[in-house]
Amino acid sequence: MASTAAGKQRIPKVAKVKNKAPAEVQITAEQLLREAKERELELLPPPPKQKITDKEELNDYKLKKRKGFEDNIRKNRTVISNWIKYAQWEESLQEVQRSRSIYERALDVDHRNITLWLKYAEMEMKNRQVNHARNIWDRAITILPRVNQFWYKYTYMEEMLGNVAGCRQVFERWMEWEPEEQAWHSYINFELRYKEVDKARSIYESFVMVHPEVKNWIKYAHFEEKHGYVARGRKVFERAVEFFGEEHVSENLYVAFARFEEKQKEFERVRVIYKYALDRIPKQQAQELFKNYTVFEKRFGDRRGIEDVIVSKRRFQYEEEVKANPHNYDAWFDYLRLVESDADADTVREVYERAIANIPPIQEKRHWRRYIYLWINYALYEELEVKDPERTRQVYKACLELIPHKKFTFAKIWLLYGQFEIRQKNLQNARRGLGTAIGKCPKNKLFKGYIELELQLREFDRCRKLYEKYLEFSPENCTTWIKFAELETILGDTDRSRAIFELAIGQPRLDMPEVLWKSYIDFEIEQEEYDNTRGLYKRLLQRTQHVKVWISYAQFELSIDTDDRVQRCRQVYEEANKGMQNCEEKEERLMLLESWRDYEEEFGSFTNKERVRKLLPEKVKKRRKITAEDGSDAGWEEYYDYIFPEDAANQPNLKLLAMAKMWKKQQQQEEEEEEDENEQEEEQQVPEGKDTQESPETEEQEPVAGRENQTEKEYDDRDDEDESSSSSSDGESDEDQKEKTEQSKPDSEKQ
């Protein structure tokens, strides 16, 4: 029992964690690693430098290093970097045989490692072991024939050694594997360096068969051209055209062929090549061909040839666009503009007929807006270019029959047709067409255009009838009433104008009544009918109490050249002020008073100026609650409000607040005077008993401060939570008042 008890005592007790809450500062693994790197905890100090003084120490050093390298290789034979380091170390000691042995051992481990072969061959070449290097390269290209780097190094070594035949033999072996294009170009450049043009030509022949691409045929032809064999170059291009045929033809081949012939000054051949190519290559794939053909014609062709090239190219583009989308009216506009500039009338008519045949599938005006301009351009072309009025009339009639007038119409077409008939001196047809338009589908633009036409013809009776029809169609249009009245005024019939205005203002619905009333008032002023004008102003003020109407009324009275104009104007302002006292828009009321003030500044006496000045409001800053769209409280915002003297007299809490402000100001002045007296008494060393007489007066001020706070509270409650910044800044709490009172007491009383 004792032994077991002793055993239990030997077991250390595990500390219990009382607070298992996470620490305030958490340390991440990234922070631990960063701190370890900053402190460089894992950096080992560099090994000490060892100086070798005799051969025995050198052998020991070599033995130690070799043992280390062998141990690394033994641990992981597949790490080729260990083998390369070992071999390079042996090479640095001029132990070429040992280095070669290490490379051979490494190749037994991984004979497909490209870096190993390159390092092995470079080692042999550095030590001028040419035959060994050749042997290594032969072994490398035999085992890995698709590694181009071996071939490049091998051929470069042979050429540097001057072994041209051996280098050519290596290239021949390489070409048997049909390598990439750069390898062929390297072989060709090798032969050209030794002036072997025929051998380079034979290489090109094999090259274009192994890599049958257009760019390679073009390079072959440029090779022949460069060495002066023009006929051979042309033959290469012709063979290339036959080789690719029409299925795999490319515009780049024809462009290169044409440029080749252009260099030889064979311009007719160039033109034939371009035309041959344009006939066989799809147009969407022949953009570059068109471009080069155009440039060629600009340089060596005549004007007609240039225009044919450009027009044919653009015409084909537009044909493709309209075939892809027949309702693409913008493409039709561009196409028609092209054919109008370069084609005869029959061709243009054919294109126009094809264009207008594409009627919009939906009878909605927004889909017809662009389409209708095809008809307009067609009619204008027939009238202005072809000079065929009969065909123009047929175009207009066909267009008007096509438009579904019951759903929508285009006033522009009717007006253009009417103007066309006027130009043809056929007034009867013009009136008949416009009358049909008004009867079928009346529109504001149609009425305005027809009335303008009759005004130009000085047919005023017809204008009156048209205005009557117009007002029957749209009686709420104030502009029409005004224009009708202006027409009668111009004709000198003021009674008819006044009657028209009276009818207009009597309409139950108007789109711009303020403009109509202003025009009526201006009309009466022009006629110098001032009593009628006053009557109009009074009638207008019965409908609206807008401040601008009052100001305009006052300015009107002031503008009349009479003796009592100033008194009349002041009377208008007084009536306006009285009428706008209950106006909710305080800014408008302020605008009226400012206008009245400006008037009195110019024409009034001092008494009148003071009277108006006392009517001006006081600008105060207030706060109010903001409610969000969802009904939640969004805080407070500040705004400016105007308190007019009449409004302040009707609100007793405002008077009480003003009295509290005055009492507060007076109290502050008294406190300042008491402080000055206390300072003077201390300087004269007056006994302390005299200072204590001020304390009852100070204590009596506290309840008044409380009444001030109560007054401010009542004002805030009655103002619907609108708080004035001026009133809130003046009110103070009881504690602030006591603190100020204590500061005003002398030191003896505080003790």
Side-chain angles (χ1 to χ4, degrees):
M1 295 294 292
S3 62
T4 56
K8 289 182 180 178
Q9 289 178 358
R10 293 192 192 97
I11 298 173
K13 293 183 179 180
V14 180
K16 293 183 179 180
V17 180
K18 295 181 180 179
N19 186 6
K20 295 184 179 181
E24 295 181 357
V25 180
Q26 297 291 322
I27 301 177
T28 61
E30 183 181 358
Q31 290 174 338
L32 291 173
L33 292 174
R34 189 185 301 115
E35 186 176 355
K37 177 153 179 56
E38 290 175 356
R39 295 183 182 180
E40 297 181 351
L41 298 177
E42 297 182 359
L43 294 178
L44 298 175
K49 293 184 179 180
Q50 182 180 2
K51 292 184 179 180
I52 300 173
T53 57
D54 57 1
K55 188 174 183 180
E56 185 177 354
E57 289 182 358
L58 179 60
N59 292 332
D60 292 340
Y61 168 72
K62 289 180 180 179
L63 180 62
K64 182 179 178 181
K65 289 289 288 184
R66 283 170 184 151
K67 187 175 183 302
F69 281 122
E70 291 292 344
D71 290 341
N72 289 335
I73 292 171
R74 195 179 301 111
K75 289 177 185 176
N76 194 345
R77 294 171 56 85
T78 58
V79 179
I80 301 301
S81 61
N82 292 336
W83 293 96
I84 294 175
K85 290 177 183 177
Y86 190 9
Q88 289 177 345
W89 181 77
E90 292 289 357
E91 183 188 358
S92 66
L93 298 177
Q94 302 299 323
E95 295 286 349
V96 179
Q97 191 61 34
R98 283 181 175 273
S99 178
R100 189 179 294 125
S101 175
I102 293 165
Y103 275 120
E104 291 293 340
R105 287 168 59 193
L107 289 173
D108 291 339
V109 174
D110 186 6
H111 65 279
R112 304 188 66 82
N113 192 296
I114 299 173
T115 306
L116 193 58
W117 285 104
L118 293 174
K119 296 291 184 182
Y120 191 7
E122 287 176 2
M123 185 272 293
E124 296 291 0
M125 287 191 292
K126 267 196 270 185
N127 292 283
R128 302 179 182 277
Q129 301 293 326
V130 178
N131 290 328
H132 282 285
R134 283 196 181 111
N135 184 21
I136 293 166
W137 288 126
D138 281 333
R139 289 165 61 193
I141 62 178
T142 303
I143 295 172
L144 300 171
R146 292 297 180 186
V147 180
N148 294 327
Q149 199 170 2
F150 295 161
W151 295 100
Y152 284 123
K153 296 272 188 182
Y154 193 5
T155 54
Y156 181 73
M157 185 190 76
E158 293 293 352
E159 189 174 1
M160 290 297 101
L161 293 173
N163 188 7
V164 179
C167 183
R168 186 177 289 113
Q169 186 178 3
V170 173
F171 269 119
E172 290 293 339
R173 289 174 60 189
W174 191 7
M175 296 304 114
E176 291 176 1
W177 290 97
E178 297 182 357
E180 61 183 10
E181 296 178 7
Q182 186 59 40
W184 291 92
H185 291 310
S186 299
Y187 190 13
I188 293 169
N189 292 333
F190 164 75
E191 294 293 354
L192 291 178
R193 281 197 292 272
Y194 297 99
K195 311 298 183 184
E196 297 288 346
V197 180
D198 293 335
K199 289 184 178 180
R201 185 180 293 114
S202 64
I203 297 169
Y204 260 120
E205 289 289 342
S206 302
F207 175 41
V208 295
M209 294 303 166
V210 174
H211 296 280
E213 298 178 8
V214 172
K215 61 180 182 179
N216 297 331
W217 283 96
I218 295 174
K219 289 178 182 178
Y220 185 13
H222 288 169
F223 160 77
E224 296 290 359
E225 180 187 6
K226 182 179 179 181
H227 291 86
Y229 299 99
V230 178
R232 287 180 179 272
R234 186 178 292 117
K235 188 68 176 176
V236 170
F237 276 118
E238 293 173 356
R239 285 173 56 198
V241 173
E242 294 176 2
F243 178 81
F244 288 103
E246 296 185 1
E247 296 180 358
H248 305 284
V249 70
S250 173
E251 64 171 346
N252 295 329
L253 178 62
Y254 289 104
V255 170
F257 194 5
R259 288 177 179 174
F260 168 80
E261 295 293 354
E262 185 178 338
K263 290 180 183 178
Q264 312 307 321
K265 309 296 183 182
E266 297 286 348
F267 301 130
E268 288 301 323
R269 283 179 175 268
V270 175
R271 192 171 285 108
V272 171
I273 291 168
Y274 277 126
K275 291 182 179 180
Y276 179 85
L278 290 173
D279 292 339
R280 284 161 178 77
I281 299 177
K283 303 307 183 205
Q284 61 270 15
Q285 301 176 6
Q287 301 298 323
E288 190 68 23
L289 197 64
F290 267 121
K291 181 179 178 181
N292 285 276
Y293 188 19
T294 306
V295 173
F296 167 76
E297 289 292 350
K298 286 181 179 179
R299 292 177 61 190
F300 304 106
D302 54 359
R303 178 170 181 172
R304 187 62 186 172
I306 297 171
E307 291 178 353
D308 289 343
V309 173
I310 297 173
V311 170
S312 62
K313 176 183 175 181
R314 292 175 61 190
R315 183 178 296 172
F316 170 76
Q317 292 175 352
Y318 294 137
E319 285 286 351
E320 292 294 325
E321 289 184 18
V322 298
K323 282 181 182 177
N325 184 9
H327 294 93
N328 184 4
Y329 300 120
D330 292 328
W332 282 111
F333 289 135
D334 296 336
Y335 191 11
L336 288 165
R337 196 177 301 114
L338 174 67
V339 296
E340 283 181 15
S341 63
D342 191 64
D344 54 355
D346 294 334
T347 306
V348 176
R349 281 175 182 154
E350 180 186 356
V351 179
Y352 266 118
E353 293 293 337
R354 287 171 55 198
I356 62 177
N358 298 297
I359 303 172
I362 302 174
Q363 289 189 356
E364 293 182 9
K365 191 169 183 178
R366 60 190 180 90
H367 296 287
W368 285 63
R369 291 186 185 278
R370 298 293 292 163
Y371 170 72
I372 208 68
Y373 277 97
L374 290 173
W375 288 96
I376 294 173
N377 292 342
Y378 191 9
L380 293 176
Y381 173 77
E382 291 289 351
E383 181 185 3
L384 302 177
E385 300 293 336
V386 186
K387 311 291 185 183
D388 191 347
E390 189 60 34
R391 192 173 181 87
T392 305
R393 188 176 290 110
Q394 293 175 5
V395 171
Y396 276 121
K397 289 182 178 180
C399 177
L400 292 173
E401 291 175 0
L402 182 65
I403 298 172
H405 299 290
K406 292 183 178 180
K407 295 185 177 180
F408 58 86
T409 189
F410 290 94
K412 187 183 276 80
I413 287 288
W414 291 104
L415 294 175
L416 287 173
Y417 177 46
Q419 293 167 3
F420 161 73
E421 293 292 357
I422 294 294
R423 287 194 293 271
Q424 302 303 319
K425 300 180 181 180
N426 196 342
L427 182 59
Q428 192 67 26
N429 284 349
R431 284 176 175 159
R432 187 183 299 115
L434 292 174
T436 304
I438 292 174
K440 278 186 175 182
C441 44
K443 288 183 65 176
N444 291 335
K445 192 174 181 180
L446 277 173
F447 279 109
K448 290 177 182 178
Y450 198 180
I451 291 171
E452 184 66 26
L453 175 65
E454 296 295 351
L455 280 176
Q456 292 177 358
L457 297 173
R458 300 295 187 267
E459 294 286 347
F460 301 115
D461 292 335
R462 288 181 178 273
C463 289
R464 287 193 180 103
K465 292 180 181 179
L466 288 173
Y467 270 121
E468 292 172 2
K469 294 288 184 182
Y470 193 1
L471 292 172
E472 289 177 6
F473 167 69
S474 177
E476 70 278 358
N477 194 336
C478 292
T479 306
T480 308
W481 289 102
I482 295 170
K483 292 288 185 183
F484 193 9
E486 287 178 356
L487 173 64
E488 297 296 348
T489 305
I490 293 171
L491 296 176
D493 199 341
T494 57
D495 294 336
R496 287 178 67 95
S497 298
R498 189 174 290 110
I500 291 168
F501 275 121
E502 288 293 336
L503 285 173
I505 63 177
Q507 295 298 320
R509 288 178 53 208
L510 293 170
D511 54 358
M512 294 185 295
E514 65 280 359
V515 178
L516 181 62
W517 279 95
K518 186 178 183 303
S519 300
Y520 194 6
I521 291 170
D522 292 342
F523 164 74
E524 294 291 358
I525 293 173
E526 287 178 4
Q527 302 300 323
E528 297 183 357
E529 296 288 345
Y530 301 125
D531 294 335
N532 293 344
T533 306
R534 290 190 187 94
L536 284 176
Y537 270 117
K538 292 177 181 178
R539 290 165 62 186
L540 179 58
L541 288 170
Q542 290 176 359
R543 298 191 180 191
T544 177
Q545 289 286 326
H546 199 277
V547 63
K548 290 186 178 180
V549 179
W550 285 108
I551 295 174
S552 177
Y553 188 13
Q555 291 175 353
F556 159 71
E557 293 290 358
L558 189 62
S559 64
I560 301 174
D561 191 8
T562 58
D563 297 335
D564 58 344
R565 63 191 185 101
V566 176
Q567 185 62 30
R568 282 180 176 272
C569 182
R570 184 176 293 110
Q571 184 178 357
V572 171
Y573 275 120
E574 291 175 354
E575 292 178 3
N577 186 38
K578 183 177 179 181
M580 295 189 69
Q581 284 183 358
N582 298 325
C583 179
E584 296 181 357
E585 297 293 334
K586 295 184 178 181
E587 287 81 2
E588 294 186 0
R589 191 174 173 187
L590 176 63
M591 189 188 304
L592 176 68
L593 291 174
E594 289 177 348
S595 177
W596 191 3
R597 181 192 62 190
D598 296 339
Y599 157 74
E600 295 292 354
E601 290 288 340
E602 186 175 357
F603 299 100
S605 61
F606 179 76
T607 306
N608 292 329
K609 293 178 184 177
E610 287 297 318
R611 177 188 171 196
V612 176
R613 187 182 61 79
K614 291 179 180 179
L615 292 175
L616 290 173
E618 180 184 0
K619 186 177 181 182
V620 295
K621 185 188 290 185
K622 292 187 177 182
R623 291 196 311 164
R624 60 188 172 195
K625 279 188 176 181
I626 304 174
T627 305
E629 295 180 357
D630 56 355
S632 61
D633 190 6
W636 295 78
E637 71 171 353
E638 292 185 350
Y639 71 101
Y640 287 101
D641 194 11
Y642 298 98
I643 300 176
F644 291 86
E646 297 88 346
D647 299 340
N650 296 330
Q651 295 182 9
N653 58 344
L654 293 178
K655 286 186 176 181
L656 188 59
L657 182 60
M659 292 172 64
K661 288 182 181 179
M662 291 177 62
W663 176 86
K664 180 65 179 176
K665 186 176 181 181
Q666 183 179 1
Q667 194 69 20
Q668 290 177 355
Q669 292 177 356
E670 291 178 358
E671 289 177 1
E672 291 177 358
E673 292 176 358
E674 289 176 0
E675 288 178 1
D676 295 338
E677 291 177 1
N678 292 335
E679 290 177 359
Q680 292 176 3
E681 289 176 358
E682 287 177 1
E683 291 176 358
Q684 296 174 4
Q685 296 181 355
V686 180
E688 296 179 354
K690 294 182 181 180
D691 296 336
T692 58
Q693 294 177 1
E694 296 176 359
S695 59
E697 183 181 352
T698 307
E699 292 176 356
E700 290 176 358
Q701 293 175 0
E702 295 177 1
V704 180
R707 288 198 300 272
E708 180 186 354
N709 292 329
Q710 185 178 1
T711 302
E712 290 182 6
K713 184 176 181 182
E714 290 174 359
Y715 171 69
D716 292 338
D717 294 339
R718 292 174 184 176
D719 204 19
D720 295 333
E721 296 181 355
D722 289 350
E723 186 175 311
S724 173
S725 62
S726 60
S727 63
S728 62
S729 62
D730 291 336
E732 295 181 353
S733 64
D734 294 341
E735 295 178 2
D736 296 337
Q737 186 67 28
K738 289 179 181 179
E739 184 179 353
K740 289 186 176 180
T741 306
E742 290 293 327
Q743 291 177 0
S744 64
K745 291 180 180 181
D747 297 337
S748 61
E749 186 177 351
K750 293 180 182 178
Q751 294 175 359

